Amino acid sequence: MNPALAGALADAVGPANLLTDPNELAGYASDGRGVTGRPLGVVRPSSAGEVAAVLRAAHAAGVRVVPQGARTGLVAAAIPGEDAQLLLLNLDRLSRAPAIDPVNRTAEVDAGVRLSTLNAAAAPHQLSFPIDLGADPSIGGMIAANTGGARLLRYGDVRRNLLALELVTSEAEPRLLQLGAPLWKNNTGIDLKQLLVGSSGSLGVVTRATLALSPLPAARVTAMLALDADESAVELLLALEASFGTLLTAFEGISAPALSAALTHVPRLRAPFAGTLPAYAVLIELSAGAAIEADWLEERLGDTLAPWMERGTVVDAVLDRGDALWAIRHAVPEGLRASGKVVACDIALRRGDVMRFRRDVAARVKAVAPQLRLHDFGHVGDGGLHFNLVWPPDAGPFDATVAEAARATVFRAVVEDYGGSFSAEHGIGPSNAAWYTELVPEPLRHLAGAVQRLLAPVPVGRVDFHDPISGDRA
């Protein structure tokens, strides 16, 4: 790093919060999933004003900046690349205690605050930010990726629960903008804050947000159901929605290989079913306020499932009022990583297409990559599917070319044949930027590039929503 830039950054955040030593940088240059990089340095601001000073100094030096949160994303958007030295703008120090407004049911939160910290602050008010994840991301990162999670069926994604945000623009002279307000209803023009949601940090740096909170449920019942076949899942989903309406909080699907991987490699878990694992299982959650008791939820669930069990569509059912069944679901990614090299595909489909897709495309993948074994799971209730493939040790050395051919098969099928999405909730990052270029129509990329140029004329982040062939950012 040149001395002039180092001096300006040290003045902006204090010398202790500018890291340039390779040993210190190593901890920020990886996401724990094999993606690494070589940052020019790490700068750790503690306020929006310091963020603006960092961006101003970086622009003057011609250095690109990458905002970084908790590094729990899966598309390498917050990791410096190997091919260019980038300055990491780590937001961990933007972490003042969340300001909870229990009457308005909102929280004002710095971008570096973790989801667990926010929910710990909201819990005494019987509130939560109900985006349920296996990881513990930062709020800024959740906005950048438009995180969904396992309870999207009931509560929606970040976009649905975002009321306002504070943005530092990426310009030669950065501006501090307040987009939106802590209001549940606000129709005073174009909702500019939503442009930032899912932008992967490419439109500036979010430093603070106002989020809508939801009441904590007073009654909650979960059940894991063993099905006779995967095609029964969507029909069961419709029946549960008809019976419970919005009391149905989650509807998750888990294939036998994914369930087996979790139970085999995560010793703390207990198998939910006796004997052979079912070909397909679903995890459902029902929740309600104090007016409805858990006993009623269980009784009504039993009544709803009775005809399904009588005809053998639901082979077995296990109920729980705690988190034991959720622990199995959340352990699936860990189980897959322990089973071999994971080729992850985070996709979304129309709900009625999910089971047809998994059978159809599993056969296509087997034809191009017989070494890979499907271990799929995901949010069937909202059409999300983690169509994850595992290359086990007994299949021989991992072949990245074969794996990429399998991923291409999945992504092209989901977009071109099923009208779905190749990125359901992980966002766009370097790991899938090439698929954005191939599978998103050029007019849309052109328009996205124009928006990016308007809000961030100085490139920020590792994603350019433009045509990389022509290099035209507008």
Side-chain angles (χ1 to χ4, degrees):
M1 184 183 301
N2 72 65
L5 175 58
L9 295 175
D11 289 343
V13 300
N17 293 302
L18 173 62
L19 311 179
T20 57
D21 182 271
N23 293 324
E24 293 180 311
L25 299 181
Y28 296 87
S30 170
D31 63 0
R33 295 171 178 81
V35 179
T36 59
R38 293 175 293 175
L40 184 65
V42 175
V43 60
R44 303 175 66 239
S46 63
S47 68
E50 291 184 1
V51 169
V54 169
L55 295 180
R56 186 182 300 112
H59 174 263
V63 171
R64 188 160 183 166
V65 174
V66 176
Q68 183 182 78
R71 288 170 291 144
T72 61
L74 298 173
V75 292
I79 304 300
E82 290 283 359
D83 56 345
Q85 288 192 313
L86 306 172
L87 181 67
L88 285 180
L89 182 68
N90 182 275
L91 301 178
D92 283 352
R93 294 181 66 231
L94 270 72
S95 56
R96 289 172 293 177
I100 308 297
D101 183 340
V103 176
N104 200 39
R105 259 205 297 125
T106 55
E108 293 189 12
V109 197
D110 279 356
V113 169
R114 297 292 187 102
L115 176 60
S116 60
T117 301
L118 169 58
N119 279 331
H125 305 284
Q126 297 302 303
L127 298 170
S128 74
F129 188 56
I131 310 295
D132 177 68
L133 301 166
D136 190 17
S138 67
I139 297 304
M142 294 178 73
I143 293 170
N146 188 31
T147 309
R151 293 185 171 97
L152 186 145
L153 180 64
R154 168 80 166 271
Y155 298 106
D157 52 14
V158 167
R159 183 184 303 281
R160 192 189 298 180
N161 294 280
L162 178 67
L163 301 182
L165 59 80
E166 181 183 79
L167 173 71
V168 178
T169 62
S170 180
E171 302 173 279
E173 189 54 48
R175 292 172 290 167
L176 182 62
L177 302 178
Q178 179 70 26
L179 306 180
L183 305 171
W184 287 76
K185 298 174 71 175
N186 184 9
N187 196 22
T188 52
I190 297 174
D191 194 359
L192 294 173
K193 71 177 182 295
Q194 296 294 359
L195 293 174
L196 279 295
V197 181
S199 66
S200 299
S202 64
L203 299 182
V205 180
V206 173
T207 53
R208 193 165 173 82
T210 302
L211 305 173
L213 302 178
S214 294
L216 283 169
R220 186 165 66 95
V221 171
T222 57
M224 188 168 286
L225 312 176
L227 304 186
D228 63 339
D230 64 346
E231 58 261 31
S232 303
V234 174
E235 186 183 355
L236 176 61
L237 168 63
L238 296 178
L240 290 169
E241 287 182 327
S243 182
F244 292 99
T246 57
L247 300 182
L248 181 63
T249 311
F251 190 97
E252 298 281 298
I254 312 175
S255 66
L259 184 57
S260 176
L263 296 173
T264 299
H265 297 289
V266 185
R268 65 181 181 273
L269 303 177
R270 293 183 58 186
F273 308 116
T276 305
L277 294 178
Y280 202 78
V282 295
L283 173 67
I284 66 170
E285 180 181 88
L286 305 171
S287 64
I292 297 177
E293 296 181 350
D295 288 344
W296 183 90
L297 291 174
E298 281 196 9
E299 181 180 353
R300 182 62 182 269
L301 179 60
D303 292 342
T304 302
L305 294 178
W308 294 77
M309 299 190 76
E310 288 172 3
R311 63 175 178 261
T313 306
V314 174
V315 180
D316 197 0
V318 179
L319 273 63
D320 179 44
R321 295 190 186 182
D323 293 318
L325 296 177
W326 273 114
I328 296 172
R329 163 61 182 85
H330 288 317
V332 169
E334 181 182 349
L336 266 58
R337 290 193 295 270
S339 301
K341 179 69 173 178
V342 178
V343 180
C345 301
D346 168 48
I347 62 174
L349 300 134
R350 288 182 289 266
R351 299 194 312 181
D353 288 339
V354 170
M355 298 308 163
R356 182 167 64 92
F357 176 92
R358 66 184 299 270
R359 292 191 298 274
D360 172 20
V361 180
R364 300 192 206 185
V365 168
K366 186 175 182 180
V368 299
Q371 303 92 332
L372 289 167
R373 299 168 191 171
L374 179 62
H375 291 62
D376 65 302
F377 62 101
H379 322 302
V380 175
D382 59 46
L385 183 63
H386 296 288
F387 196 83
N388 287 1
L389 306 159
V390 175
W391 189 298
D394 62 13
F398 179 74
D399 188 325
T401 301
V402 172
E404 194 55 32
R407 195 195 307 271
T409 299
V410 175
F411 285 171
R412 288 177 181 138
V414 72
V415 174
E416 296 171 355
D417 299 337
Y418 286 83
S421 169
F422 67 90
S423 181
E425 60 182 350
H426 292 168
I428 302 299
S431 295
N432 57 18
W435 295 110
Y436 173 82
T437 301
E438 176 178 334
L439 297 175
V440 174
E442 189 277 334
L444 300 183
R445 289 187 281 110
H446 185 83
L447 181 58
V451 172
Q452 185 176 18
R453 184 176 182 180
L454 179 65
L455 289 178
V458 179
V460 65
R462 288 192 64 199
V463 179
D464 276 335
F465 290 102
H466 69 293
D467 185 346
I469 297 175
S470 68
D472 181 8
R473 298 190 71 248

